[in-house]
PDB file of all heavy atoms in Angstrom:
ATOM      1  N   ASN D  88      -1.059   2.446  14.667  1.00  0.00           N
ATOM      2  CA  ASN D  88       0.034   1.512  14.913  1.00  0.00           C
ATOM      3  C   ASN D  88       0.392   0.783  13.616  1.00  0.00           C
ATOM      4  O   ASN D  88      -0.493   0.364  12.875  1.00  0.00           O
ATOM      5  CB  ASN D  88      -0.374   0.502  15.992  1.00  0.00           C
ATOM      6  CG  ASN D  88       0.754  -0.396  16.422  1.00  0.00           C
ATOM      7  OD1 ASN D  88       1.849   0.061  16.702  1.00  0.00           O
ATOM      8  ND2 ASN D  88       0.482  -1.686  16.476  1.00  0.00           N
ATOM      9  N   ILE D  89       1.690   0.604  13.340  1.00  0.00           N
ATOM     10  CA  ILE D  89       2.122  -0.160  12.164  1.00  0.00           C
ATOM     11  C   ILE D  89       1.775  -1.624  12.410  1.00  0.00           C
ATOM     12  O   ILE D  89       2.212  -2.223  13.387  1.00  0.00           O
ATOM     13  CB  ILE D  89       3.632  -0.006  11.899  1.00  0.00           C
ATOM     14  CG1 ILE D  89       4.004   1.458  11.669  1.00  0.00           C
ATOM     15  CG2 ILE D  89       4.072  -0.894  10.724  1.00  0.00           C
ATOM     16  CD1 ILE D  89       3.382   2.071  10.436  1.00  0.00           C
ATOM     17  N   VAL D  90       0.968  -2.191  11.517  1.00  0.00           N
ATOM     18  CA  VAL D  90       0.502  -3.568  11.680  1.00  0.00           C
ATOM     19  C   VAL D  90       1.018  -4.509  10.591  1.00  0.00           C
ATOM     20  O   VAL D  90       0.824  -5.719  10.678  1.00  0.00           O
ATOM     21  CB  VAL D  90      -1.038  -3.644  11.731  1.00  0.00           C
ATOM     22  CG1 VAL D  90      -1.564  -2.978  13.000  1.00  0.00           C
ATOM     23  CG2 VAL D  90      -1.677  -3.028  10.500  1.00  0.00           C
ATOM     24  N   GLY D  91       1.676  -3.970   9.570  1.00  0.00           N
ATOM     25  CA  GLY D  91       2.171  -4.820   8.491  1.00  0.00           C
ATOM     26  C   GLY D  91       2.691  -3.997   7.340  1.00  0.00           C
ATOM     27  O   GLY D  91       3.147  -2.872   7.515  1.00  0.00           O
ATOM     28  N   TYR D  92       2.589  -4.588   6.141  1.00  0.00           N
ATOM     29  CA  TYR D  92       3.051  -3.903   4.937  1.00  0.00           C
ATOM     30  C   TYR D  92       2.277  -4.395   3.730  1.00  0.00           C
ATOM     31  O   TYR D  92       1.643  -5.447   3.764  1.00  0.00           O
ATOM     32  CB  TYR D  92       4.560  -4.083   4.742  1.00  0.00           C
ATOM     33  CG  TYR D  92       5.008  -5.512   4.544  1.00  0.00           C
ATOM     34  CD1 TYR D  92       5.112  -6.059   3.267  1.00  0.00           C
ATOM     35  CD2 TYR D  92       5.321  -6.319   5.627  1.00  0.00           C
ATOM     36  CE1 TYR D  92       5.513  -7.373   3.081  1.00  0.00           C
ATOM     37  CE2 TYR D  92       5.733  -7.633   5.451  1.00  0.00           C
ATOM     38  CZ  TYR D  92       5.826  -8.148   4.179  1.00  0.00           C
ATOM     39  OH  TYR D  92       6.224  -9.450   3.996  1.00  0.00           O
ATOM     40  N   HIS D  93       2.343  -3.611   2.664  1.00  0.00           N
ATOM     41  CA  HIS D  93       1.697  -3.953   1.403  1.00  0.00           C
ATOM     42  C   HIS D  93       2.781  -4.052   0.343  1.00  0.00           C
ATOM     43  O   HIS D  93       3.633  -3.170   0.242  1.00  0.00           O
ATOM     44  CB  HIS D  93       0.685  -2.871   1.030  1.00  0.00           C
ATOM     45  CG  HIS D  93       0.090  -3.027  -0.332  1.00  0.00           C
ATOM     46  ND1 HIS D  93      -0.530  -4.190  -0.746  1.00  0.00           N
ATOM     47  CD2 HIS D  93       0.018  -2.177  -1.374  1.00  0.00           C
ATOM     48  CE1 HIS D  93      -0.961  -4.035  -1.990  1.00  0.00           C
ATOM     49  NE2 HIS D  93      -0.643  -2.819  -2.393  1.00  0.00           N
ATOM     50  N   VAL D  94       2.776  -5.124  -0.414  1.00  0.00           N
ATOM     51  CA  VAL D  94       3.716  -5.270  -1.530  1.00  0.00           C
ATOM     52  C   VAL D  94       3.147  -4.462  -2.688  1.00  0.00           C
ATOM     53  O   VAL D  94       2.179  -4.867  -3.322  1.00  0.00           O
ATOM     54  CB  VAL D  94       3.911  -6.751  -1.929  1.00  0.00           C
ATOM     55  CG1 VAL D  94       4.878  -6.868  -3.104  1.00  0.00           C
ATOM     56  CG2 VAL D  94       4.387  -7.573  -0.745  1.00  0.00           C
ATOM     57  N   THR D  95       3.734  -3.290  -2.935  1.00  0.00           N
ATOM     58  CA  THR D  95       3.228  -2.409  -3.984  1.00  0.00           C
ATOM     59  C   THR D  95       3.727  -2.822  -5.361  1.00  0.00           C
ATOM     60  O   THR D  95       3.055  -2.571  -6.357  1.00  0.00           O
ATOM     61  CB  THR D  95       3.619  -0.946  -3.711  1.00  0.00           C
ATOM     62  OG1 THR D  95       5.041  -0.845  -3.615  1.00  0.00           O
ATOM     63  CG2 THR D  95       2.976  -0.448  -2.419  1.00  0.00           C
ATOM     64  N   LEU D  96       4.894  -3.475  -5.393  1.00  0.00           N
ATOM     65  CA  LEU D  96       5.449  -3.973  -6.650  1.00  0.00           C
ATOM     66  C   LEU D  96       6.267  -5.226  -6.364  1.00  0.00           C
ATOM     67  O   LEU D  96       7.392  -5.146  -5.876  1.00  0.00           O
ATOM     68  CB  LEU D  96       6.333  -2.909  -7.317  1.00  0.00           C
ATOM     69  CG  LEU D  96       6.924  -3.280  -8.673  1.00  0.00           C
ATOM     70  CD1 LEU D  96       5.820  -3.494  -9.708  1.00  0.00           C
ATOM     71  CD2 LEU D  96       7.874  -2.195  -9.142  1.00  0.00           C
ATOM     72  N   PRO D  97       5.694  -6.414  -6.626  1.00  0.00           N
ATOM     73  CA  PRO D  97       6.431  -7.649  -6.354  1.00  0.00           C
ATOM     74  C   PRO D  97       7.599  -7.831  -7.321  1.00  0.00           C
ATOM     75  O   PRO D  97       7.521  -7.440  -8.483  1.00  0.00           O
ATOM     76  CB  PRO D  97       5.390  -8.748  -6.542  1.00  0.00           C
ATOM     77  CG  PRO D  97       4.264  -8.135  -7.287  1.00  0.00           C
ATOM     78  CD  PRO D  97       4.355  -6.660  -7.139  1.00  0.00           C
ATOM     79  N   CYS D  98       8.679  -8.423  -6.814  1.00  0.00           N
ATOM     80  CA  CYS D  98       9.834  -8.685  -7.670  1.00  0.00           C
ATOM     81  C   CYS D  98       9.606  -9.970  -8.471  1.00  0.00           C
ATOM     82  O   CYS D  98       8.734 -10.786  -8.150  1.00  0.00           O
ATOM     83  CB  CYS D  98      11.116  -8.782  -6.837  1.00  0.00           C
ATOM     84  SG  CYS D  98      11.265 -10.242  -5.779  1.00  0.00           S
ATOM     85  N   ARG D  99      10.394 -10.157  -9.491  1.00  0.00           N
ATOM     86  CA  ARG D  99      10.271 -11.324 -10.368  1.00  0.00           C
ATOM     87  C   ARG D  99      10.465 -12.626  -9.603  1.00  0.00           C
ATOM     88  O   ARG D  99       9.733 -13.591  -9.806  1.00  0.00           O
ATOM     89  CB  ARG D  99      11.294 -11.218 -11.501  1.00  0.00           C
ATOM     90  CG  ARG D  99      11.193 -12.337 -12.515  1.00  0.00           C
ATOM     91  CD  ARG D  99      12.175 -12.118 -13.634  1.00  0.00           C
ATOM     92  NE  ARG D  99      12.052 -10.744 -14.096  1.00  0.00           N
ATOM     93  CZ  ARG D  99      11.804 -10.393 -15.347  1.00  0.00           C
ATOM     94  NH1 ARG D  99      11.690 -11.302 -16.262  1.00  0.00           N
ATOM     95  NH2 ARG D  99      11.684  -9.137 -15.687  1.00  0.00           N
ATOM     96  N   CYS D 100      11.435 -12.644  -8.699  1.00  0.00           N
ATOM     97  CA  CYS D 100      11.716 -13.859  -7.930  1.00  0.00           C
ATOM     98  C   CYS D 100      10.490 -14.281  -7.119  1.00  0.00           C
ATOM     99  O   CYS D 100      10.101 -15.445  -7.119  1.00  0.00           O
ATOM    100  CB  CYS D 100      12.914 -13.622  -7.019  1.00  0.00           C
ATOM    101  SG  CYS D 100      13.338 -15.053  -6.006  1.00  0.00           S
ATOM    102  N   CYS D 101       9.866 -13.335  -6.421  1.00  0.00           N
ATOM    103  CA  CYS D 101       8.689 -13.666  -5.613  1.00  0.00           C
ATOM    104  C   CYS D 101       7.494 -14.041  -6.479  1.00  0.00           C
ATOM    105  O   CYS D 101       6.729 -14.935  -6.125  1.00  0.00           O
ATOM    106  CB  CYS D 101       8.332 -12.502  -4.688  1.00  0.00           C
ATOM    107  SG  CYS D 101       9.497 -12.320  -3.315  1.00  0.00           S
ATOM    108  N   LEU D 102       7.332 -13.379  -7.616  1.00  0.00           N
ATOM    109  CA  LEU D 102       6.227 -13.731  -8.507  1.00  0.00           C
ATOM    110  C   LEU D 102       6.392 -15.135  -9.073  1.00  0.00           C
ATOM    111  O   LEU D 102       5.410 -15.827  -9.322  1.00  0.00           O
ATOM    112  CB  LEU D 102       6.102 -12.721  -9.649  1.00  0.00           C
ATOM    113  CG  LEU D 102       5.456 -11.395  -9.293  1.00  0.00           C
ATOM    114  CD1 LEU D 102       5.497 -10.454 -10.488  1.00  0.00           C
ATOM    115  CD2 LEU D 102       4.023 -11.584  -8.818  1.00  0.00           C
ATOM    116  N   ASN D 103       7.640 -15.557  -9.281  1.00  0.00           N
ATOM    117  CA  ASN D 103       7.902 -16.891  -9.816  1.00  0.00           C
ATOM    118  C   ASN D 103       7.887 -17.974  -8.745  1.00  0.00           C
ATOM    119  O   ASN D 103       7.891 -19.155  -9.060  1.00  0.00           O
ATOM    120  CB  ASN D 103       9.243 -16.916 -10.557  1.00  0.00           C
ATOM    121  CG  ASN D 103       9.181 -16.176 -11.864  1.00  0.00           C
ATOM    122  OD1 ASN D 103       8.123 -16.052 -12.475  1.00  0.00           O
ATOM    123  ND2 ASN D 103      10.312 -15.645 -12.307  1.00  0.00           N
ATOM    124  N   SER D 104       7.873 -17.582  -7.471  1.00  0.00           N
ATOM    125  CA  SER D 104       7.837 -18.540  -6.370  1.00  0.00           C
ATOM    126  C   SER D 104       6.399 -18.977  -6.108  1.00  0.00           C
ATOM    127  O   SER D 104       5.448 -18.369  -6.578  1.00  0.00           O
ATOM    128  CB  SER D 104       8.400 -17.895  -5.102  1.00  0.00           C
ATOM    129  OG  SER D 104       9.756 -17.586  -5.263  1.00  0.00           O
ATOM    130  N   CYS D 105       6.271 -20.023  -5.335  1.00  0.00           N
ATOM    131  CA  CYS D 105       4.958 -20.511  -4.957  1.00  0.00           C
ATOM    132  C   CYS D 105       4.323 -19.495  -4.011  1.00  0.00           C
ATOM    133  O   CYS D 105       4.802 -19.281  -2.909  1.00  0.00           O
ATOM    134  CB  CYS D 105       5.117 -21.860  -4.260  1.00  0.00           C
ATOM    135  SG  CYS D 105       3.576 -22.639  -3.831  1.00  0.00           S
ATOM    136  N   ASN D 106       3.254 -18.839  -4.472  1.00  0.00           N
ATOM    137  CA  ASN D 106       2.576 -17.840  -3.639  1.00  0.00           C
ATOM    138  C   ASN D 106       1.098 -17.829  -3.960  1.00  0.00           C
ATOM    139  O   ASN D 106       0.662 -18.370  -4.958  1.00  0.00           O
ATOM    140  CB  ASN D 106       3.208 -16.454  -3.820  1.00  0.00           C
ATOM    141  CG  ASN D 106       2.888 -15.833  -5.160  1.00  0.00           C
ATOM    142  OD1 ASN D 106       1.796 -15.309  -5.366  1.00  0.00           O
ATOM    143  ND2 ASN D 106       3.839 -15.889  -6.086  1.00  0.00           N
ATOM    144  N   ASN D 107       0.321 -17.161  -3.118  1.00  0.00           N
ATOM    145  CA  ASN D 107      -1.131 -17.147  -3.300  1.00  0.00           C
ATOM    146  C   ASN D 107      -1.650 -15.824  -3.840  1.00  0.00           C
ATOM    147  O   ASN D 107      -2.855 -15.628  -3.911  1.00  0.00           O
ATOM    148  CB  ASN D 107      -1.842 -17.503  -1.991  1.00  0.00           C
ATOM    149  CG  ASN D 107      -1.553 -16.505  -0.896  1.00  0.00           C
ATOM    150  OD1 ASN D 107      -1.057 -15.418  -1.138  1.00  0.00           O
ATOM    151  ND2 ASN D 107      -1.859 -16.889   0.321  1.00  0.00           N
ATOM    152  N   GLY D 108      -0.775 -14.894  -4.188  1.00  0.00           N
ATOM    153  CA  GLY D 108      -1.210 -13.617  -4.731  1.00  0.00           C
ATOM    154  C   GLY D 108      -1.657 -12.615  -3.685  1.00  0.00           C
ATOM    155  O   GLY D 108      -2.180 -11.571  -4.030  1.00  0.00           O
ATOM    156  N   HIS D 109      -1.465 -12.915  -2.407  1.00  0.00           N
ATOM    157  CA  HIS D 109      -1.794 -11.959  -1.355  1.00  0.00           C
ATOM    158  C   HIS D 109      -0.665 -10.946  -1.232  1.00  0.00           C
ATOM    159  O   HIS D 109       0.478 -11.319  -1.001  1.00  0.00           O
ATOM    160  CB  HIS D 109      -1.991 -12.664  -0.013  1.00  0.00           C
ATOM    161  CG  HIS D 109      -3.246 -13.453   0.061  1.00  0.00           C
ATOM    162  ND1 HIS D 109      -3.751 -13.913   1.245  1.00  0.00           N
ATOM    163  CD2 HIS D 109      -4.124 -13.859  -0.891  1.00  0.00           C
ATOM    164  CE1 HIS D 109      -4.875 -14.568   1.033  1.00  0.00           C
ATOM    165  NE2 HIS D 109      -5.113 -14.562  -0.263  1.00  0.00           N
ATOM    166  N   PHE D 110      -1.002  -9.666  -1.361  1.00  0.00           N
ATOM    167  CA  PHE D 110       0.011  -8.617  -1.305  1.00  0.00           C
ATOM    168  C   PHE D 110      -0.124  -7.726  -0.074  1.00  0.00           C
ATOM    169  O   PHE D 110       0.546  -6.716   0.041  1.00  0.00           O
ATOM    170  CB  PHE D 110      -0.055  -7.763  -2.574  1.00  0.00           C
ATOM    171  CG  PHE D 110       0.332  -8.531  -3.804  1.00  0.00           C
ATOM    172  CD1 PHE D 110      -0.623  -8.937  -4.712  1.00  0.00           C
ATOM    173  CD2 PHE D 110       1.652  -8.872  -4.040  1.00  0.00           C
ATOM    174  CE1 PHE D 110      -0.273  -9.659  -5.855  1.00  0.00           C
ATOM    175  CE2 PHE D 110       2.016  -9.594  -5.170  1.00  0.00           C
ATOM    176  CZ  PHE D 110       1.049  -9.983  -6.078  1.00  0.00           C
ATOM    177  N   TRP D 111      -1.010  -8.073   0.842  1.00  0.00           N
ATOM    178  CA  TRP D 111      -1.180  -7.348   2.101  1.00  0.00           C
ATOM    179  C   TRP D 111      -0.751  -8.280   3.217  1.00  0.00           C
ATOM    180  O   TRP D 111      -1.345  -9.341   3.408  1.00  0.00           O
ATOM    181  CB  TRP D 111      -2.631  -6.931   2.294  1.00  0.00           C
ATOM    182  CG  TRP D 111      -3.102  -5.962   1.255  1.00  0.00           C
ATOM    183  CD1 TRP D 111      -3.612  -6.257   0.029  1.00  0.00           C
ATOM    184  CD2 TRP D 111      -3.095  -4.543   1.357  1.00  0.00           C
ATOM    185  NE1 TRP D 111      -3.929  -5.102  -0.638  1.00  0.00           N
ATOM    186  CE2 TRP D 111      -3.626  -4.026   0.159  1.00  0.00           C
ATOM    187  CE3 TRP D 111      -2.700  -3.645   2.362  1.00  0.00           C
ATOM    188  CZ2 TRP D 111      -3.767  -2.664  -0.074  1.00  0.00           C
ATOM    189  CZ3 TRP D 111      -2.847  -2.290   2.134  1.00  0.00           C
ATOM    190  CH2 TRP D 111      -3.366  -1.814   0.923  1.00  0.00           C
ATOM    191  N   MET D 112       0.294  -7.897   3.957  1.00  0.00           N
ATOM    192  CA  MET D 112       0.861  -8.733   5.012  1.00  0.00           C
ATOM    193  C   MET D 112       0.704  -8.045   6.367  1.00  0.00           C
ATOM    194  O   MET D 112       0.820  -6.828   6.465  1.00  0.00           O
ATOM    195  CB  MET D 112       2.359  -8.968   4.774  1.00  0.00           C
ATOM    196  CG  MET D 112       2.720  -9.433   3.394  1.00  0.00           C
ATOM    197  SD  MET D 112       1.903 -10.952   2.947  1.00  0.00           S
ATOM    198  CE  MET D 112       2.234 -10.980   1.212  1.00  0.00           C
ATOM    199  N   PHE D 113       0.452  -8.850   7.392  1.00  0.00           N
ATOM    200  CA  PHE D 113       0.305  -8.339   8.741  1.00  0.00           C
ATOM    201  C   PHE D 113       1.300  -9.062   9.646  1.00  0.00           C
ATOM    202  O   PHE D 113       1.427 -10.284   9.583  1.00  0.00           O
ATOM    203  CB  PHE D 113      -1.122  -8.556   9.250  1.00  0.00           C
ATOM    204  CG  PHE D 113      -2.146  -7.830   8.432  1.00  0.00           C
ATOM    205  CD1 PHE D 113      -2.797  -8.466   7.391  1.00  0.00           C
ATOM    206  CD2 PHE D 113      -2.450  -6.503   8.701  1.00  0.00           C
ATOM    207  CE1 PHE D 113      -3.737  -7.798   6.618  1.00  0.00           C
ATOM    208  CE2 PHE D 113      -3.382  -5.825   7.936  1.00  0.00           C
ATOM    209  CZ  PHE D 113      -4.032  -6.465   6.892  1.00  0.00           C
ATOM    210  N   HIS D 114       1.996  -8.292  10.494  1.00  0.00           N
ATOM    211  CA  HIS D 114       2.973  -8.867  11.412  1.00  0.00           C
ATOM    212  C   HIS D 114       2.254  -9.646  12.514  1.00  0.00           C
ATOM    213  O   HIS D 114       1.266  -9.170  13.073  1.00  0.00           O
ATOM    214  CB  HIS D 114       3.832  -7.771  12.046  1.00  0.00           C
ATOM    215  CG  HIS D 114       4.562  -6.933  11.059  1.00  0.00           C
ATOM    216  ND1 HIS D 114       5.464  -7.451  10.159  1.00  0.00           N
ATOM    217  CD2 HIS D 114       4.520  -5.594  10.822  1.00  0.00           C
ATOM    218  CE1 HIS D 114       5.953  -6.476   9.416  1.00  0.00           C
ATOM    219  NE2 HIS D 114       5.397  -5.336   9.792  1.00  0.00           N
ATOM    220  N   SER D 115       2.761 -10.825  12.832  1.00  0.00           N
ATOM    221  CA  SER D 115       2.118 -11.658  13.849  1.00  0.00           C
ATOM    222  C   SER D 115       2.190 -11.026  15.235  1.00  0.00           C
ATOM    223  O   SER D 115       1.348 -11.321  16.088  1.00  0.00           O
ATOM    224  CB  SER D 115       2.723 -13.063  13.858  1.00  0.00           C
ATOM    225  OG  SER D 115       4.115 -12.996  14.087  1.00  0.00           O
ATOM    226  N   ASP D 116       3.148 -10.143  15.477  1.00  0.00           N
ATOM    227  CA  ASP D 116       3.225  -9.482  16.782  1.00  0.00           C
ATOM    228  C   ASP D 116       2.377  -8.211  16.862  1.00  0.00           C
ATOM    229  O   ASP D 116       2.300  -7.570  17.905  1.00  0.00           O
ATOM    230  CB  ASP D 116       4.671  -9.173  17.154  1.00  0.00           C
ATOM    231  CG  ASP D 116       5.360  -8.224  16.196  1.00  0.00           C
ATOM    232  OD1 ASP D 116       4.788  -7.893  15.129  1.00  0.00           O
ATOM    233  OD2 ASP D 116       6.488  -7.790  16.508  1.00  0.00           O
ATOM    234  N   ALA D 117       1.698  -7.835  15.761  1.00  0.00           N
ATOM    235  CA  ALA D 117       0.872  -6.624  15.741  1.00  0.00           C
ATOM    236  C   ALA D 117      -0.611  -6.923  15.534  1.00  0.00           C
ATOM    237  O   ALA D 117      -1.444  -6.025  15.658  1.00  0.00           O
ATOM    238  CB  ALA D 117       1.352  -5.684  14.636  1.00  0.00           C
ATOM    239  N   ALA D 118      -0.938  -8.177  15.228  1.00  0.00           N
ATOM    240  CA  ALA D 118      -2.326  -8.532  14.930  1.00  0.00           C
ATOM    241  C   ALA D 118      -2.719  -9.796  15.674  1.00  0.00           C
ATOM    242  O   ALA D 118      -1.933 -10.739  15.784  1.00  0.00           O
ATOM    243  CB  ALA D 118      -2.505  -8.744  13.431  1.00  0.00           C
TER     244      ALA D 118
END
Side-chain angles (χ1 to χ4, degrees):
N88 187 48
I89 301 296
V90 293
Y92 62 92
H93 172 54
V94 179
T95 58
L96 183 63
C98 70
R99 184 177 312 236
C100 179
C101 287
L102 283 176
N103 288 334
S104 295
C105 184
N106 72 78
N107 62 15
H109 288 195
F110 294 106
W111 296 86
M112 310 302 167
F113 298 94
H114 302 301
S115 58
D116 62 352

